[in-house]
Amino acid sequence: MLISYQKKNKKKHHHLISSQLHSSLQKELLQFLLECCVGAAEPFYHPRRPHEVFLNPFCRPACQHRCKTRSASSQVYSAVQSVVGSLHMAHTEWKDAPGLPDFSLLKRLARDQLIFLLEQLPGKKDLFIDADLMSPLDRIANVTILKQHEVDKLYKVELKPIVSSSDQLCFLIRPRIQTVKWISDLVNADKVAGRFRRYKIIFTPQKFYACETVLEEQGVYGDVTTDEWNFYILPLDDDILSLELPEFFRDNFLEGDQRWVTTAGSALRLLQSVYGSFSKVYGIGRCAKMVYESWRELMEDGEQRTRQPEFAKVFLVDRDVDFVTPLCSQVVYEGLVDDLFRIKCGSVEFGPDVTSSDKSIKVMLNSQDKVFSEIRNEHFSNVFGFLSQKAKNLQTAYDKRRGMDIQQMKAFVADELKGLKQEHRLLSLHIGASESMMKKKTKQDFQELLKTEHSLLEGFEIRECITYIEEHINRQVSMIDSLRLLCLLSITENGLLSKDYRSLKAQYLQSYGIEHLLTFANLRQLGLLEEQQAGETLTVMESKVGKLVNDKTVGKLTDAFSSLAKKSNFRALSKRLALVPKSGEEYDLRVPRDMAYVFSGAYIPLSCKLIEQVLERDGWTGMEEVTRMLNGQEFAVTGGSSSSEARSKTDAQRIVLVMFLGGCTFSEISALRFLGKERGCRFIVVTTAITNSSRLLEALLDNSA
């Protein structure tokens, strides 16, 4: 009955949707959706190639194997359930969810301070802006606001001679020595030319002593005025705050440069001064401990204010506590958009392949986008059903105008039409983006890539994984992806056997250039890609044999078995915290049961699991073995009055601030949103920058000849 109804109404439904979507490619995608009803982990058939069965590339390989044996009626039923399930997920309200603080206040504070600093240089002036400050500045004070405060022309800092004719120059820069030297050269060049100008340098988020020393050494300290713009935090969305410091990761974890620790501490101090004190602070990692100490010192030195807190718990976590999560391929919608299109400062630029025109469009991706807000946390396999249903609903809303009288039509145009047009525009863009992602990700290569990642996480078929990585390197598929797979292999296996390490390293250098020797040194320093030492384990299967090796009845141990005495930290952590669901279990991505859905049910992000466990236990008690495997440095501090804890849970007690030091992925943000939905609380993510596998590894590249 269901099948005949679907055939009868297929043409009607297709007409309703395609009449509103102009692009032929988008029409084809929607027809594909209606006729196939794509579901998570379900087989589907292309209308023009009925003899071929296509598997959803984003589901777990184990699920794909089971899908092949489903009957035709089961396929149709599951496909319909997929659409219903995705709609249910998209529209489910958070149960008893607390309200979030208004972070727009942080923007207003930053804007007011910047205007004050600009007005200290009265009259017309030219403003030179660091390249990586252009996007954040646009979110705080756009060109119109700057023009209102006598900024004549804007230039991007390019470290070359300038063409400005203004008598007043203002520089808005990060505190970098190279940039300060460039400004010093400009001032000295003007001196030689006999030209008098006024110069002002505004450092953000703070100025460092080293920069002032450079000005003094260059002989221009008395010719320029310097100031600080304390722009510590940029709200990217209702629950995402960013310091916009992508260099934090390399500077702190690779170079050992701790200058940004004070900046992170100052960001916490700003949040506490504006939104109230924190009752509990948890953390893990060396950098997290330093940030906490810096924040505590700043609070002791500053003025103490008592006010009702808007969030009470804070969790600080270092990026090097969990490197596995950012190295995995993202499969939630927002994460995929970031991987393929690079979300920058909360916005993304969609090219002609998405917009179906000859121009690119810049789109803000946040909760104000009604379409995006409902699919951003969804597994990509659930997105198609939602977009299809959204298009139907939109057509139905447009059809309401038929049969209206003049008064009703006027009300429709005044109240609804503008919103419907905006929603239609956004829907078209997200359908175009989804189509573009499907083209890039449904290839056999991506299915094999995911299968290899999941095998590495589960610890099975390691030798086959190494073979796949070798092929990936030799075919020169992607320099970054090859490096990512090598790092994932090394971390999950606690290092590579000497013969494998040397062989894979040699093949990589032959494919991508000998200059990457320095990159390998950086990866080794961070523990991302290491040669296995004697006494370390390789695989899960070998670790099971370890008991035989250590048995007293066994005689002499050979070198081949000496590596079986210890378990790798990732394997032990995975078992202890149940990070990898049992491979025999079927995982329904339509109705996820835990945070593992963000990686197709293959892996729960370690960072998010730690947060869940610590909040459940209200501390690190009972997790001593876990913290030992993570090299310790954990802490839990209770501060201020706890009288509010004694009362029933207030909204503040159910809002948790999580600060990632070194970057955070959209997959982790989606996992925390899911956790909050399950526990009736909300998570606010503060990060030094949004990251993913490409950004993390690009920060460690050192391929200068």
Side-chain angles (χ1 to χ4, degrees):
M1 192 69 177
L2 178 61
I3 298 173
S4 63
Y5 175 82
Q6 185 186 27
K7 289 179 179 177
K8 191 188 301 180
N9 290 276
K10 191 185 300 176
K11 189 176 292 183
K12 176 184 175 185
H13 287 168
H14 173 65
H15 173 72
L16 286 172
I17 300 171
S18 63
S19 62
Q20 288 299 319
L21 298 171
H22 56 278
S23 166
S24 60
L25 291 175
Q26 292 168 346
K27 291 177 186 176
E28 186 176 334
L29 173 63
L30 285 171
Q31 181 182 12
F32 178 71
L33 293 174
L34 287 170
E35 295 187 1
C36 304
C37 290
V38 181
E42 297 293 342
F44 53 89
Y45 303 88
H46 196 286
R48 289 194 290 275
R49 288 181 283 172
H51 61 284
E52 294 185 49
V53 179
F54 293 82
L55 291 178
N56 192 323
F58 297 92
C59 68
R60 292 184 72 189
C63 297
Q64 289 181 349
H65 175 74
R66 285 191 291 274
C67 287
K68 295 176 184 177
T69 62
R70 300 280 178 91
S71 64
S73 60
S74 174
Q75 292 170 16
V76 174
Y77 174 77
S78 297
V80 173
Q81 287 294 102
S82 172
V83 175
V84 174
S86 65
L87 292 174
H88 173 75
M89 283 182 64
H91 292 286
T92 300
E93 293 293 329
W94 289 28
K95 53 185 179 184
D96 191 28
L100 290 171
D102 178 15
F103 291 117
S104 64
L105 179 58
L106 297 174
K107 285 186 180 180
R108 294 200 297 272
L109 288 171
R111 182 167 58 246
D112 291 346
Q113 189 191 10
L114 178 60
I115 291 171
F116 173 76
L117 293 173
L118 290 174
E119 288 179 345
Q120 287 185 338
L121 194 63
K124 288 200 170 187
K125 50 195 159 284
D126 285 354
L127 181 62
F128 291 80
I129 308 168
D130 245 341
D132 55 357
L133 283 173
M134 300 286 273
S135 294
L137 180 62
D138 192 48
R139 298 286 299 267
I140 298 296
N142 56 29
V143 175
T144 304
I145 293 174
L146 295 175
K147 294 282 187 184
Q148 289 171 356
H149 296 278
E150 299 186 287
V151 173
D152 188 21
K153 295 178 182 176
L154 286 87
Y155 299 92
K156 183 168 72 173
V157 170
E158 293 179 325
L159 305 182
K160 62 183 183 181
I162 63 173
V163 294
S164 172
S165 59
S166 176
D167 290 332
Q168 297 195 116
L169 304 181
C170 187
F171 302 89
L172 182 61
I173 64 170
R174 293 288 191 202
R176 299 187 181 114
I177 290 176
Q178 185 183 20
T179 312
V180 175
K181 283 184 177 178
W182 170 73
I183 295 172
S184 301
D185 291 341
L186 293 179
V187 176
N188 284 324
D190 281 349
K191 281 183 182 179
V192 172
R195 177 158 192 179
F196 174 78
R197 299 199 225 209
R198 295 182 66 189
Y199 311 92
K200 183 178 181 68
I201 304 176
I202 302 175
F203 293 102
T204 185
Q206 61 195 86
K207 64 180 175 183
F208 295 133
Y209 174 74
C211 294
E212 293 185 318
T213 302
V214 170
L215 292 173
E216 193 171 350
E217 289 174 351
Q218 298 295 317
V220 297
Y221 187 78
D223 300 305
V224 301
T225 56
T226 61
D227 222 321
E228 286 183 347
W229 179 32
N230 302 131
F231 177 35
Y232 295 117
I233 299 174
L234 174 66
L236 298 180
D237 208 345
D238 295 341
D239 59 351
I240 307 176
L241 309 175
S242 175
L243 277 66
E244 289 300 302
L245 289 174
E247 60 261 56
F248 187 103
F249 174 69
R250 181 182 174 109
D251 286 354
N252 188 81
F253 295 102
L254 180 65
E255 314 255 340
D257 185 346
Q258 299 164 6
R259 57 181 171 154
W260 300 116
V261 167
T262 307
T263 305
S266 299
L268 283 177
R269 181 192 180 191
L270 174 63
L271 289 170
Q272 180 162 352
S273 63
V274 175
Y275 299 103
S277 59
F278 313 136
S279 62
K280 290 195 175 177
V281 182
Y282 313 98
I284 183 165
R286 181 167 171 267
C287 183
K289 200 168 236 182
M290 289 192 293
V291 168
Y292 168 73
E293 294 292 341
S294 172
W295 162 69
R296 193 179 65 176
E297 289 174 9
L298 289 169
M299 291 308 299
E300 288 174 355
D301 294 341
E303 180 184 349
Q304 299 293 329
R305 298 179 183 177
T306 56
R307 54 161 294 174
Q308 186 67 27
E310 296 193 48
F311 37 78
K313 296 180 180 177
V314 179
F315 197 106
L316 308 177
V317 57
D318 281 7
R319 181 71 277 166
D320 65 354
V321 168
D322 175 18
F323 276 136
V324 172
T325 299
L327 290 174
C328 293
S329 294
Q330 301 191 82
V331 288
V332 291
Y333 182 75
E334 190 169 14
L336 266 173
V337 172
D338 186 41
D339 279 351
L340 294 179
F341 300 103
R342 288 286 179 116
I343 298 174
K344 185 178 181 182
C345 206
S347 66
V348 65
E349 189 168 328
F350 287 134
D353 59 325
V354 172
T355 61
S356 300
S357 65
D358 57 352
K359 61 176 73 173
S360 299
I361 296 178
K362 193 173 183 180
V363 182
M364 292 297 300
L365 296 180
N366 54 34
S367 55
Q368 303 302 312
D369 181 337
K370 291 182 180 179
V371 178
F372 176 72
S373 65
E374 294 184 83
I375 60 175
R376 67 191 306 177
N377 302 311
E378 299 296 327
H379 189 277
F380 191 63
S381 59
N382 294 334
V383 169
F384 299 114
F386 171 81
L387 292 175
S388 174
Q389 186 62 42
K390 193 77 174 175
K392 292 180 187 178
N393 295 342
L394 195 59
Q395 179 63 54
T396 304
Y398 272 119
D399 288 345
K400 285 197 309 183
R401 69 186 185 275
R402 294 174 183 170
M404 287 182 177
D405 58 30
I406 294 177
Q407 290 299 322
Q408 290 173 326
M409 184 64 75
K410 285 174 69 176
F412 175 79
V413 171
D415 301 334
E416 297 182 45
L417 187 59
K418 185 178 179 181
L420 288 174
K421 285 185 175 179
Q422 173 71 358
E423 199 168 340
H424 170 254
R425 185 183 73 87
L426 294 171
L427 180 63
S428 299
L429 284 173
H430 289 297
I431 287 175
S434 299
E435 182 188 40
S436 180
M437 288 188 280
M438 279 294 288
K439 283 180 180 177
K440 294 174 183 175
K441 294 297 189 183
T442 50
K443 296 176 183 176
Q444 187 70 21
D445 284 347
F446 187 67
Q447 295 184 37
E448 288 296 319
L449 183 68
L450 279 186
K451 182 181 176 182
T452 300
E453 286 182 24
H454 295 173
S455 296
L456 290 174
L457 292 168
E458 293 174 0
F460 295 131
E461 300 178 338
I462 299 302
R463 194 45 58 183
E464 286 82 352
C465 292
I466 292 175
T467 302
Y468 173 81
I469 294 171
E470 287 178 328
E471 182 185 348
H472 198 275
I473 292 171
N474 294 327
R475 286 170 54 208
Q476 296 184 338
V477 177
S478 165
M479 182 182 76
I480 291 294
D481 272 349
S482 295
L483 208 55
R484 179 171 67 85
L485 289 171
L486 285 173
C487 293
L488 198 58
L489 171 65
S490 175
I491 294 173
T492 54
E493 294 302 302
N494 198 28
L496 305 180
L497 283 175
S498 293
K499 63 173 184 176
D500 290 330
Y501 178 82
R502 291 168 187 169
S503 171
L504 289 167
K505 180 179 177 181
Q507 291 178 65
Y508 188 91
L509 295 176
Q510 287 167 3
S511 289
Y512 298 111
I514 196 69
E515 63 270 14
H516 285 286
L517 269 172
L518 294 174
T519 301
F520 275 81
N522 292 342
L523 295 171
R524 185 166 191 154
Q525 184 178 330
L526 275 180
L528 281 167
L529 184 54
E530 293 185 297
E531 188 175 355
Q532 198 175 78
Q533 303 299 317
E536 293 177 347
T537 187
L538 248 190
T539 64
V540 170
M541 191 59 67
E542 288 171 337
S543 67
K544 290 178 180 177
V545 184
K547 290 183 179 179
L548 296 175
V549 177
N550 292 325
D551 198 310
K552 292 181 181 178
T553 60
V554 178
K556 293 183 178 180
L557 301 179
T558 64
D559 291 338
F561 283 92
S562 65
S563 66
L564 308 181
K566 294 181 182 179
K567 292 182 180 180
S568 74
N569 284 353
F570 177 77
R571 295 280 171 250
L573 283 167
S574 177
K575 184 177 180 181
R576 178 80 177 176
L577 296 173
L579 299 179
V580 178
K582 295 179 181 177
S583 57
E585 298 178 359
E586 184 170 354
Y587 197 98
D588 189 353
L589 294 169
R590 300 181 296 269
V591 189
R593 60 175 181 263
D594 54 30
M595 293 182 285
Y597 90 92
V598 300
F599 291 118
S600 303
Y603 166 68
I604 298 174
L606 171 59
S607 55
C608 301
K609 190 69 174 180
L610 287 174
I611 293 166
E612 178 190 30
Q613 291 291 309
V614 170
L615 293 177
E616 270 185 7
R617 301 164 186 263
D618 197 20
W620 296 95
T621 306
M623 297 184 66
E624 290 79 10
E625 185 180 348
V626 170
T627 57
R628 179 181 55 79
M629 288 186 284
L630 293 171
N631 298 321
Q633 302 288 340
E634 78 283 358
F635 59 92
V637 182
T638 302
S641 172
S642 60
S643 58
S644 57
E645 296 258 358
R647 300 192 300 268
S648 60
K649 280 192 173 182
T650 62
D651 277 1
Q653 295 299 328
R654 293 187 296 135
I655 297 179
V656 183
L657 191 77
V658 180
M659 188 176 210
F660 287 88
L661 299 161
C664 171
T665 66
F666 282 115
S667 294
E668 289 168 307
I669 294 172
S670 293
L672 289 175
R673 285 175 180 148
F674 177 86
L675 179 62
K677 191 186 298 185
E678 292 292 299
R679 302 298 170 90
C681 62
R682 297 292 287 268
F683 288 93
I684 297 168
V685 173
V686 184
T687 177
T688 51
I690 296 295
T691 192
N692 57 24
S693 57
S694 297
R695 290 191 188 99
L696 185 138
L697 291 174
E698 284 166 6
L700 301 175
L701 289 180
D702 225 337
N703 55 358
S704 55

